[in-house]
Structures are given as structure tokens and as C-alpha cells.
């Protein structure tokens, strides 16, 4: 009888073989047959068990390496990562970028509002005093940079990413970072042309977080997104 540990090691359908190998490995991860930190079976074993050539296995492993799922350990094989390095390619952002080119602006705003409101409300529950201090420091740096004529989007990105980090939920952090990457071009416009709007919005968000006031937070997020859509997103997508 086939064990759970080997249930994913079955021949792949005759489609795009390397992609199907990736799917089989994903199946193993989802089922728990393979766990983070564990080495994959050898290239030879994967080739035999999946019924594909070694070149398809190698290509699949390279795809997973590019996505940050596996790391190649010279002389030892391929190991499932325990965490995804921030420097690796993020497939989700490419999917979001492509979809953003075919969907309406209202859909984009709806998407960001859903995630930013829920993430910010969770931050109210989970943010530590140190998280709030770091947000204050970022906010103060932003204001000082604006006074010096430096309109850098990095401060804005860091502020919003820090709110997602303040949820202390790795799923929210990962999705939140992808969202901020997607909207970076419009944030460049907001910071360049509407610096007062940026600092006013961040003021309201920070005060709501400090006061653990969910109603004020939701109001601040919705207001900031309305202004962002009207002044920055519309220009970015013209």
C-alpha cells in the first residue's frame, strides 16, 4: 500500500513535463509529504517515479529555485527552503501586474481597499509598541525628506509595509508587500506631486493605530485611498 510520504511520487500527465513536475512537488508540499528543510529525492529517483526525463526534472527544480521554493546544495541535492528569501522572484506580483492591465481602476481600488483595511485593522490588534515607534520614525523621516525637497517613494513603501509587518502574520506580510509593489508607480506620483496628502494620510493612520481605534483606522484608510485614486492612480493609468 502506498504511503502518504510517497503518494505524490506518481507519473505525471504527458503535458508540459517540467511544469507538471512542479505541480507534483507542490502537491507533495500541500499534502505534507514533503516538508520545509527536507531534501527532495534524487534527480534519478524523481525521473523514474514521475516517468519523465532528467532534463524535465532539472528544469522543474530550476523553476522552483527561481521562485525561492528550493535551494540547490552542491553535492547534496535540492532542499525545500524553510523561508522564502525576499530577493527571489515573486510570481504573484507578475500575475497581479498582468491582471492590472486588463481590469478597471475601480477593481484595483477595491482590491487594495479590501487588503489594506483588513491588514490595518489586524495591525491594531497585533502591533507592538516597538512597531508603532518604528512607524513614527518612518513618518518623521518622510516629513523631513519632504521639507528638504526629497520626494522618495521608499519612505511611503516602508510605512505601508511596516503596517503589514505589524500584523505579525506572515501571510498578510507576503500579500501586502506584493500589493505595494503593484502600486509603486502611482505612489511615485503621489509622493512627487502630493506630499501634503501623503503626510496627512499617514498622520491619520498612525493616530488610529496608536489609539487602537478601528473605526478611525477604517475611515483613514478609505479616505486615503479615495484621494490616491483621484490624484495619483488616475494619472498613472492614463
Amino acid at each position: 500500500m502506498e504511503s502518504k510520504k510517497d503518494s505524490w511520487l506518481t507519473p505525471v500527465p504527458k503535458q508540459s513535463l517540467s511544469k507538471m513536475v512542479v505541480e507534483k512537488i507542490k502537491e507533495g508540499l500541500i499534502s505534507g509529504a514533503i516538508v520545509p528543510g527536507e531534501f527532495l529525492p534524487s534527480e534519478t529517483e524523481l525521473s523514474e517515479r514521475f516517468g519523465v526525463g532528467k532534463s524535465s526534472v532539472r528544469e522543474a527544480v530550476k523553476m522552483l529555485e527561481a521562485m525561492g521554493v528550493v535551494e540547490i546544495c552542491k553535492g547534496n541535492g535540492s532542499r525545500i527552503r524553510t523561508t522564502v528569501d525576499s530577493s527571489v522572484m515573486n510570481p504573484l506580483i507578475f500575475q497581479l501586474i498582468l491582471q492590472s492591465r486588463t481590469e478597471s481602476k475601480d477593481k484595483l481600488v477595491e482590491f487594495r481597499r479590501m487588503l489594506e483595511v483588513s491588514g490595518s485593522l489586524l495591525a491594531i490588534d497585533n502591533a507592538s509598541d516597538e512597531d508603532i515607534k518604528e512607524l513614527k520614525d518612518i513618518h518623521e523621516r518622510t516629513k523631513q525628506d519632504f521639507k528638504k525637497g526629497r520626494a522618495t517613494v521608499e519612505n511611503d513603501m516602508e510605512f505601508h509595509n511596516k503596517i503589514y509587518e505589524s500584523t505579525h502574520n506572515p501571510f498578510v506580510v507576503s500579500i501586502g508587500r506584493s500589493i505595494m509593489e503593484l502600486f509603486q508607480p502611482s505612489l511615485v506620483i503621489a509622493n512627487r506631486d502630493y506630499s501634503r496628502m501623503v503626510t496627512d494620510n499617514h498622520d491619520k493612520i498612525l493616530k488610529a493605530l496608536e489609539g487602537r481605534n478601528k473605526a478611525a483606522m477604517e475611515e483613514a484608510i478609505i479616505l486615503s485611498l479615495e484621494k490616491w485614486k483621484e490624484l495619483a492612480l488616475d494619472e498613472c493609468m492614463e
Side-chain angles (χ1 to χ4, degrees), residues 129-143:
D129 290 341
E130 182 61 29
D131 290 326
I132 294 174
K133 179 182 180 302
E134 287 183 38
L135 278 164
K136 285 182 176 179
D137 291 343
I138 296 167
H139 185 44
E140 185 59 34
R141 186 170 71 245
T142 302
K143 291 190 288 187

Side-chain angles (χ1 to χ4, degrees), residues 19-30:
K19 290 181 181 178
M20 293 308 300
V21 171
V22 169
E23 285 297 313
K24 295 295 288 185
I25 293 173
K26 183 178 75 174
E27 179 185 317
L29 283 166
I30 292 171

Side-chain angles (χ1 to χ4, degrees), residues 3-220:
S3 68
K4 174 186 175 183
K5 198 72 177 169
D6 294 335
S7 61
W8 63 285
L9 292 167
T10 56
V12 300
K14 302 298 182 183
Q15 300 176 27
S16 173
L17 296 181
S18 58
K19 290 181 181 178
M20 293 308 300
V21 171
V22 169
E23 285 297 313
K24 295 295 288 185
I25 293 173
K26 183 178 75 174
E27 179 185 317
L29 283 166
I30 292 171
S31 69
I34 326 171
V35 297
E38 184 176 318
F39 279 91
L40 289 172
S42 69
E43 186 179 284
T44 300
E45 182 178 353
L46 288 174
S47 174
E48 291 174 352
R49 297 293 291 269
F50 289 150
V52 301
K54 290 184 180 180
S55 61
S56 295
V57 173
R58 280 194 294 271
E59 186 178 347
V61 171
K62 286 180 180 177
M63 291 166 65
L64 291 168
E65 182 186 23
M67 290 187 284
V69 177
V70 304
E71 58 182 335
I72 309 299
C73 304
K74 297 294 184 182
N76 292 311
S78 304
R79 180 169 55 197
I80 303 295
R81 286 182 177 271
T82 53
T83 58
V84 176
D85 193 296
S86 60
S87 65
V88 301
M89 179 185 74
N90 182 352
L92 175 59
I93 187 60
F94 288 99
Q95 181 180 353
L96 293 175
I97 289 169
L98 293 175
Q99 287 179 327
S100 73
R101 297 297 177 263
T102 59
E103 292 293 342
S104 69
K105 286 177 285 190
D106 287 339
K107 292 294 184 184
L108 285 171
V109 174
E110 187 179 69
F111 177 54
R112 185 179 174 190
R113 182 173 62 238
M114 178 191 71
L115 291 169
E116 198 154 325
V117 168
S118 58
S120 298
L121 294 181
L122 185 59
I124 284 179
D125 290 332
N126 296 345
S128 66
D129 290 341
E130 182 61 29
D131 290 326
I132 294 174
K133 179 182 180 302
E134 287 183 38
L135 278 164
K136 285 182 176 179
D137 291 343
I138 296 167
H139 185 44
E140 185 59 34
R141 186 170 71 245
T142 302
K143 291 190 288 187
Q144 292 303 316
D145 281 350
F146 282 146
K147 285 180 181 179
K148 295 173 184 176
R150 293 200 295 261
T152 59
V153 71
E154 287 78 12
N155 289 334
D156 200 357
M157 297 280 287
E158 187 178 358
F159 183 87
H160 287 282
N161 283 332
K162 183 60 192 177
I163 289 178
Y164 286 119
E165 289 171 15
S166 298
T167 66
H168 295 276
N169 184 311
F171 301 103
V172 175
V173 174
S174 295
I175 297 296
R177 285 187 177 278
S178 296
I179 297 307
M180 296 315 299
E181 281 191 68
L182 175 64
F183 294 119
Q184 183 171 355
S186 61
L187 296 179
V188 169
I189 294 171
N191 282 267
R192 184 192 67 202
D193 299 338
Y194 307 104
S195 59
R196 181 61 183 272
M197 177 189 75
V198 172
T199 53
D200 284 352
N201 289 340
H202 289 188
D203 264 330
K204 292 182 176 69
I205 291 169
L206 190 50
K207 286 176 183 175
L209 184 60
E210 281 189 276
R212 310 285 178 174
N213 188 327
K214 292 189 175 183
M217 176 64 86
E218 185 166 359
E219 182 181 343

